[in-house]
Amino acid sequence: MIRRCQVFVVAKVGGRYRGLCSVHSDWHGITGAIGGCLEMLNIFEATENRIPIQQELLKAQSKSETFWSTGSIVNAGTSSDIPFPYISMCLLTRVFLNCWAQSHRGVSLWMPVKSEFEKSHEDETHTIIDISDLTCVRYGFVNHHDHHEIEAFRFHCEQRIAPIPLMKPISAETFLSSYLQRTKQSGLEEYSTWLEGFVGRRIVDLNSPRQIWPSEKWDDELDNTDIKTDSGGSPLGYPCQTPTLRSSSMRVVLESLMHSEPDMASISEAELLPDFMPKLKTKLCAHAENLEPSPARSYLLGKVLKDEPEFNLGVFRKFGVEDFCRIIIDLQQSQKICALNFSNTPALDAAGLQRLLHNVPTLKTLYLMNTPNLPIRSVLSIIRDASICLDNIYHSDLFMFPMEDGRIPQRGWGPFPTGARTRSPVIQMLWISAFSRDLQLNASRNGGRVNWDSIIVNGGKTICIEHGRFPLDDVLLPPVKIVNGLARIAEYGIKDSCVFDTAFDFAQVAVKSFAMASSEKNGSEFQVGPMPLELFSHERECHEHWPLLNLRESRPGDWTIVFLLEQYGGKPSEQPESPFHLRQRGKYALITPCESPESVEAESKFLVMDMSSFLAEVANDASEAQALSDYWENMQRENYSLAVFDKREVHDIVRVLFSRHVK
């Protein structure tokens, strides 16, 4: 059993390796260590996460040597500054929000990584994730012992078939083999499914831990540095080529465009060359930080960026709002702009952002990482006034505040304004867990209506009920994220048979499910987005009066997810000697207050809908609603099946369980 370990995220910054953040974690067995490493590799390599990670790596370039030499620890319940909140959230999404972990509260997060490599016990290991190249993230497991113990430990290992690797990054297969050998287990083939995910992945360069932890005695017998050069030639042995007159002339033209005002007549002629625009794009981006703005350069940027799926304008540090507006107008004429990146733009303020967003009514994703003059409250106010239907906001505050103390009101942002939630209609989730050991009792009411009044009166005798309300109004959840998030919750609860014993267990699953709900149908399951702040803070801090038991008052159009996970089991009467079987099934509905109730009866207060009807109500158009509805039905057919509450049962649940303390 792997009891305790550290996970480190590192990268090459300014020509040398740096530790960005680390966390202590309790893995649940050997599969937890290997499976956790594999999921982190997938998270950091996911293209959907690339832009915010790249922006924080760019921010890391500006940090001083003093910053890197002084590590700070962030515990749950502190308000320390978190320099790389998105990278840290990617790490915590797997380590902290681990639905199978035995212990996940009280996680300590170091940022940046401290210089000491903490000593571990014989049955523990550490994991290093190198994100220097986001297209090929490296990893390495390290069995660590201080240098005084190495010789004695190796002597002990010599009595076995093969020595256990110490103080050097090793592969998943080597780590697994050494672990099974230490614990005197066999059957490496049993873990073949896990190991398949590591095929073709590269181990971290030994220079990485050596530079970050120079005081440690690293094993130099295996130096897995991959850089190879041949003396007297080009890197990797490619022959040097003599530049042609054409290539030399193009290089002169491109260089002149960077340092003098472009001549539009000459550019019109150069555009006829098929490789001119790609090389111009490369040149402009390479000189982005020092490029002087001008109308001609704004025109060129509009030309070279028109085929990009996402527009990263924040790298052009010297450009102002007028220049950005000119570029955006040119881009909007050629195609609809769906994503804009203004990260690492310190000069951008609320007035400038308001002008920029006025020109992009089709915008769906906005990146604002490391923009100190644009706090999240201001951004949400601008979005509300501009009436933009965003699906995603990547802002440093959205990832920083959940890891800080959620009880400090000025550090959060509260519920998203109604205008900012145009595409995010769900404000809360009601969760009910019902457990019974009486198989016959549950079978008899399989197709009938549950008497919730009777269950509460006789609670604890035959059925155990846990329930709670989870706020979801401080995160953007467009229809596709609602579908993906609820699908993940159902998958954890039904397909993977996670037992939600308490509201904390379910809250942990809900936070991870909605934070990693892809913004695309059939999108990546490793996309990391903002998480519900209030829900995460309550779950992490174990607040008093948690879980919430009141139904929040809402208006028509404010939707609530009602989700029941029923866990039942027992021994069939005809087979009393058979083992106990735990089974699970789920029910759900989406409800909103009626505009004008048909009567004063309690069962007419809410509209009750299944997913297809809900999507038809809130989606942009019929085609989007139908596509998402088909996607939902296909997922259920392939993975699990959720029944739908009838109208009377939903009203009973709200009346009996969530109407005792109405705010």
Side-chain angles (χ1 to χ4, degrees):
M1 178 67 68
I2 304 293
R3 295 195 304 268
R4 190 88 168 149
C5 68
Q6 294 179 92
V7 183
F8 302 92
V9 178
V10 306
K12 183 172 280 189
V13 177
R16 62 162 295 173
Y17 284 98
R18 305 284 192 178
L20 304 178
C21 58
S22 68
V23 68
H24 282 85
S25 173
D26 293 334
W27 291 125
H28 189 178
I30 188 68
T31 54
I34 293 182
C37 177
L38 184 59
E39 184 172 353
M40 283 187 288
L41 291 173
N42 289 326
I43 286 174
F44 283 112
E45 281 186 347
T47 55
E48 295 86 351
N49 303 331
R50 191 161 297 169
I51 288 181
I53 294 176
Q54 287 174 335
Q55 297 308 312
E56 292 196 339
L57 291 177
L58 182 63
K59 177 184 177 182
Q61 301 282 350
S62 64
K63 296 296 183 181
S64 66
E65 190 63 36
T66 303
F67 168 83
W68 295 112
S69 61
T70 308
S72 61
I73 190 168
V74 179
N75 286 306
T78 67
S79 57
S80 303
D81 181 48
I82 299 175
F84 312 113
Y86 188 79
I87 293 173
S88 303
M89 185 59 70
C90 288
L91 176 60
L92 288 186
T93 298
R94 177 59 183 95
V95 176
F96 190 94
L97 298 173
N98 179 11
C99 301
W100 295 273
Q102 291 184 315
S103 173
H104 62 277
R105 296 185 182 87
V107 167
S108 298
L109 185 68
W110 279 91
M111 291 168 287
V113 172
K114 59 179 182 177
S115 57
E116 297 86 8
F117 200 76
E118 184 171 307
K119 179 180 176 181
S120 63
H121 298 288
E122 183 176 338
D123 59 349
E124 294 178 355
T125 191
H126 300 315
T127 307
I128 301 175
I129 305 293
D130 179 4
I131 61 172
S132 302
D133 181 359
L134 295 176
T135 63
C136 182
V137 177
R138 299 187 180 205
Y139 79 99
F141 294 99
V142 177
N143 289 314
H144 175 268
H145 293 264
D146 66 36
H147 62 276
H148 297 294
E149 295 179 323
I150 289 180
E151 295 304 323
F153 189 71
R154 280 186 175 164
F155 176 79
H156 176 67
C157 293
E158 287 174 0
Q159 309 306 314
R160 306 183 183 185
I161 297 176
I164 298 173
L166 294 175
M167 293 307 296
K168 61 184 176 185
I170 58 176
S171 68
E173 184 174 0
T174 304
F175 162 60
L176 180 58
S177 299
S178 66
Y179 175 83
L180 296 177
Q181 195 174 341
R182 280 205 307 268
T183 55
K184 298 181 180 180
Q185 300 181 46
S186 60
L188 185 64
E189 55 279 353
E190 295 180 11
Y191 300 93
S192 58
T193 302
W194 295 96
L195 295 178
E196 286 176 1
F198 291 91
V199 174
R201 295 190 180 274
R202 301 168 77 177
I203 310 301
V204 296
D205 187 340
L206 187 57
N207 284 325
S208 169
R210 186 187 287 128
Q211 291 178 6
I212 299 171
W213 301 280
S215 61
E216 300 292 343
K217 186 176 180 180
W218 295 94
D219 192 335
D220 293 327
E221 293 178 5
L222 173 64
D223 190 342
N224 44 22
T225 304
D226 291 305
I227 302 175
K228 298 179 181 179
T229 58
D230 293 332
S231 58
S234 62
L236 302 179
Y238 293 113
C240 298
Q241 296 181 352
T242 303
T244 63
L245 178 61
R246 180 178 180 275
S247 62
S248 299
S249 300
M250 185 176 292
R251 186 171 63 251
V252 171
V253 171
L254 292 173
E255 199 66 36
S256 66
L257 294 177
M258 301 302 107
H259 303 290
S260 60
E261 183 63 19
D263 179 6
M264 299 308 297
S266 301
I267 292 174
S268 298
E269 295 179 2
E271 284 185 54
L272 299 176
L273 300 174
D275 56 344
F276 175 74
M277 296 306 288
K279 290 186 176 181
L280 176 60
K281 175 185 172 183
T282 301
K283 196 72 174 178
L284 288 170
C285 293
H287 288 74
E289 191 166 347
N290 298 313
L291 193 66
E292 294 291 339
S294 71
R297 289 197 179 98
S298 297
Y299 167 79
L300 291 177
L301 282 171
K303 295 280 286 184
V304 301
L305 295 176
K306 67 177 182 179
D307 295 325
E308 290 291 308
E310 296 172 327
F311 304 103
N312 182 10
L313 300 179
V315 295
F316 300 95
R317 300 294 185 87
K318 295 187 176 182
F319 280 53
V321 173
E322 291 292 340
D323 305 297
F324 287 143
C325 285
R326 191 179 296 112
I327 296 170
I328 289 173
I329 291 173
D330 289 341
L331 292 172
Q332 192 79 343
Q333 292 175 350
S334 59
Q335 63 171 310
K336 292 182 178 180
I337 297 178
C338 296
L340 278 175
N341 180 12
F342 292 109
S343 299
N344 289 297
T345 312
L348 186 61
D349 57 13
L353 182 64
Q354 193 166 21
R355 286 193 58 194
L356 293 171
L357 295 186
H358 177 73
N359 294 302
V360 280
T362 59
L363 189 65
K364 297 301 178 190
T365 301
L366 180 62
Y367 297 92
L368 292 170
M369 306 294 293
N370 191 31
T371 50
N373 290 327
L374 278 172
I376 186 61
R377 289 177 182 268
S378 299
V379 173
L380 294 177
S381 178
I382 293 169
I383 293 171
R384 177 195 59 205
D385 296 339
S387 299
I388 296 176
C389 300
L390 285 177
D391 288 351
N392 295 293
I393 301 177
Y394 289 85
H395 191 287
S396 298
D397 290 350
L398 293 176
F399 301 99
M400 185 184 305
F401 292 161
M403 290 182 283
E404 297 179 353
D405 191 349
R407 293 170 294 185
I408 304 176
Q410 65 269 23
R411 297 292 286 168
W413 55 85
F416 276 27
T418 303
R421 291 192 294 104
T422 308
R423 290 267 294 164
S424 184
V426 171
I427 65 169
Q428 60 190 343
M429 183 172 187
L430 306 182
W431 160 75
I432 310 100
S433 175
F435 173 76
S436 172
R437 295 180 63 89
D438 187 347
L439 182 63
Q440 294 301 326
L441 172 66
N442 287 273
S444 65
R445 47 185 196 82
N446 194 14
R449 179 185 176 189
V450 178
N451 188 334
W452 288 96
D453 292 285
S454 175
I455 289 176
I456 296 301
V457 170
N458 300 297
K461 295 181 179 179
T462 57
I463 300 178
C464 178
I465 297 291
E466 294 283 347
H467 64 291
R469 177 180 73 83
F470 302 134
L472 296 173
D473 57 353
D474 52 8
V475 65
L476 288 180
L477 292 177
V480 64
K481 285 194 172 184
I482 296 170
V483 169
N484 281 320
L486 187 56
R488 290 180 73 104
I489 292 173
E491 184 173 3
Y492 286 135
I494 299 174
K495 184 180 177 183
D496 295 332
S497 299
C498 289
V499 179
F500 305 139
D501 292 326
T502 67
F504 297 103
D505 298 322
F506 185 80
Q508 184 186 6
V509 169
V511 167
K512 181 170 184 176
S513 296
F514 287 116
M516 299 189 71
S518 176
S519 57
E520 298 290 337
K521 184 170 66 70
N522 293 317
S524 169
E525 61 178 306
F526 301 108
Q527 179 178 357
V528 176
M531 59 179 56
L533 173 65
E534 185 178 355
L535 175 56
F536 182 70
S537 298
H538 277 298
E539 190 277 340
R540 187 190 64 183
E541 299 292 346
C542 304
H543 281 193
E544 189 179 0
H545 309 305
W546 172 258
L548 304 172
L549 298 178
N550 58 287
L551 177 68
R552 174 185 158 184
E553 292 183 352
S554 55
R555 303 171 300 176
D558 290 339
W559 290 84
T560 299
I561 300 173
V562 185
F563 181 82
L564 166 69
L565 182 64
E566 186 177 2
Q567 303 169 80
Y568 63 97
K571 299 179 179 181
S573 57
E574 65 276 8
Q575 298 176 343
E577 302 301 323
S578 62
F580 178 85
H581 290 286
L582 179 66
R583 304 177 185 178
Q584 312 208 55
R585 60 171 168 250
K587 275 188 175 182
Y588 81 99
L590 293 112
I591 65 174
T592 188
C594 294
E595 292 271 1
S596 54
E598 299 174 1
S599 66
V600 295
E601 296 179 6
E603 294 181 4
S604 299
K605 289 184 178 180
F606 302 104
L607 291 175
V608 181
M609 295 187 180
D610 62 5
M611 184 62 75
S612 297
S613 302
F614 165 76
L615 292 170
E617 187 78 17
V618 302
N620 274 349
D621 51 50
S623 60
E624 181 189 28
Q626 188 61 51
L628 289 175
S629 179
D630 293 343
Y631 175 54
W632 170 261
E633 296 297 331
N634 288 335
M635 284 194 298
Q636 290 209 78
R637 279 194 298 268
E638 295 174 2
N639 299 298
Y640 45 80
S641 180
L642 284 178
V644 181
F645 283 114
D646 63 33
K647 181 178 179 180
R648 296 177 63 189
E649 189 169 0
V650 167
H651 283 81
D652 279 351
I653 287 174
V654 173
R655 175 178 57 82
V656 174
L657 298 179
F658 296 98
S659 297
R660 288 174 287 173
H661 309 283
V662 177
K663 286 186 178 180

